[in-house]
């Protein structure tokens, strides 16, 4: 399965040109790339490297240091399972394992159909509903592992 190469948008090209000579340009440009594509495509990183005259290794150093940046396109539905203290103590880790088992992917990986990405996050601010999973901003609280199937089916039905 070959990955489709993203094309740099004219807006992104103009943004890079505007930031080329400014301090802190790499982080700002990478944020714009992430906002544009949802991740940092390799061919775009190479083009940014050339446009900013920054080694590709430095770009990947920044991208892999900060958790915000993604190197792979996320699924249509991003499942974030809270592993903050309250959620962890009430079974958050078991929820992560159940999502991984049922979807057949590990953390920060996307299912082959492109529908789901599973992430573990530190706190979602819903401690009273622990354990919690959020799917594209929709909160699912007071979960048990038996609820995972229903959540997956709900979003799979939406396509």
């Amino acid at each position: 399965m070959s990955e489709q190469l993203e094309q740099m948008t004219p807006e992104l090209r103009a943004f890079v040109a505007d930031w080329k000579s400014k301090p802190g340009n790499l982080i700002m440009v990478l944020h714009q790339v992430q906002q544009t594509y949802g991740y940092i495509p390799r061919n775009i990183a190479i083009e940014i490297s050339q446009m900013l005259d920054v080694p590709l290794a430095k770009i990947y150093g920044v991208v892999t240091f900060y958790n915000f940046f993604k190197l792979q396109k996320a699924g249509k539905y991003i499942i974030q399972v809270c592993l903050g203290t309250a959620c962890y103590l009430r079974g958050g880790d078991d929820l992560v394992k159940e999502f991984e088992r049922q979807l057949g992917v590990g953390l920060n990986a996307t299912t082959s159909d492109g529908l789901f990405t599973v992430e573990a996050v530190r706190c979602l601010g819903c401690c009273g509903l622990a354990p919690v999973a959020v799917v594209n901003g929709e909160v699912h609280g007071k979960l048990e592992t038996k609820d995972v199937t229903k959540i997956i089916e709900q979003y799979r039905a939406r396509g």
Side-chain angles (χ1 to χ4, degrees), residues 7-29:
Q7 298 297 313
M8 187 176 286
T9 65
E11 296 82 9
L12 182 57
R13 198 173 294 285
F15 185 88
V16 174
D18 286 345
W19 275 89
K20 184 174 174 95
S21 61
K22 295 179 183 176
N25 61 3
L26 182 55
I27 292 284
M28 294 306 295
V29 167

Side-chain angles (χ1 to χ4, degrees), residues 98-106 109-112:
E98 188 62 17
F99 275 111
E100 289 177 319
R101 187 187 72 72
Q102 287 195 32
L103 293 172
V105 296
T110 301
T111 56
S112 60

Side-chain angles (χ1 to χ4, degrees), residues 6 11 25 50 59 85 88 96 111 124 126 135 152 158-159:
E6 301 285 0
E11 296 82 9
N25 61 3
Q50 294 164 351
I59 290 175
T85 304
Y88 184 83
V96 168
T111 56
L124 292 167
C126 304
V135 183
I152 292 170
R158 294 181 188 179

Side-chain angles (χ1 to χ4, degrees), residues 107-159:
L107 281 179
N108 303 313
T110 301
T111 56
S112 60
D113 60 8
L115 279 180
F116 298 101
T117 298
V118 180
E119 299 177 347
V121 296
R122 287 293 145 219
C123 185
L124 292 167
C126 304
C127 302
L129 297 174
V132 170
V134 172
V135 183
N136 289 17
E138 192 173 334
V139 177
H140 301 269
K142 299 192 181 216
L143 295 176
E144 298 178 21
T145 54
K146 67 181 174 129
D147 299 319
V148 168
T149 301
K150 186 175 96 178
I151 291 171
I152 292 170
E153 287 174 356
Q154 173 185 346
Y155 291 96
R156 197 176 297 278
R158 294 181 188 179

Side-chain angles (χ1 to χ4, degrees), residues 2-122:
S2 64
E3 181 180 332
Q4 176 187 345
L5 293 180
E6 301 285 0
Q7 298 297 313
M8 187 176 286
T9 65
E11 296 82 9
L12 182 57
R13 198 173 294 285
F15 185 88
V16 174
D18 286 345
W19 275 89
K20 184 174 174 95
S21 61
K22 295 179 183 176
N25 61 3
L26 182 55
I27 292 284
M28 294 306 295
V29 167
L30 290 173
H31 275 290
Q32 192 65 33
V33 171
Q34 178 89 17
Q35 185 175 345
T36 301
Y37 304 102
Y39 71 115
I40 311 290
R42 179 164 177 75
N43 65 306
I44 300 296
I46 291 168
E47 201 167 341
I48 296 295
S49 169
Q50 294 164 351
M51 292 175 76
L52 295 179
D53 195 27
V54 172
L56 188 60
K58 182 174 182 179
I59 290 175
Y60 276 96
V62 170
V63 169
T64 57
F65 180 80
Y66 293 104
N67 193 36
F68 171 79
F69 296 118
K70 308 292 183 208
L71 289 170
Q72 295 181 340
K73 190 169 191 167
K76 182 175 181 180
Y77 301 109
I78 300 173
I79 301 168
Q80 297 175 309
V81 181
C82 183
L83 292 182
T85 304
C87 288
Y88 184 83
L89 290 174
R90 293 189 178 133
D93 193 44
D94 293 333
L95 290 175
V96 168
K97 290 174 184 165
E98 188 62 17
F99 275 111
E100 289 177 319
R101 187 187 72 72
Q102 287 195 32
L103 293 172
V105 296
L107 281 179
N108 303 313
T110 301
T111 56
S112 60
D113 60 8
L115 279 180
F116 298 101
T117 298
V118 180
E119 299 177 347
V121 296
R122 287 293 145 219

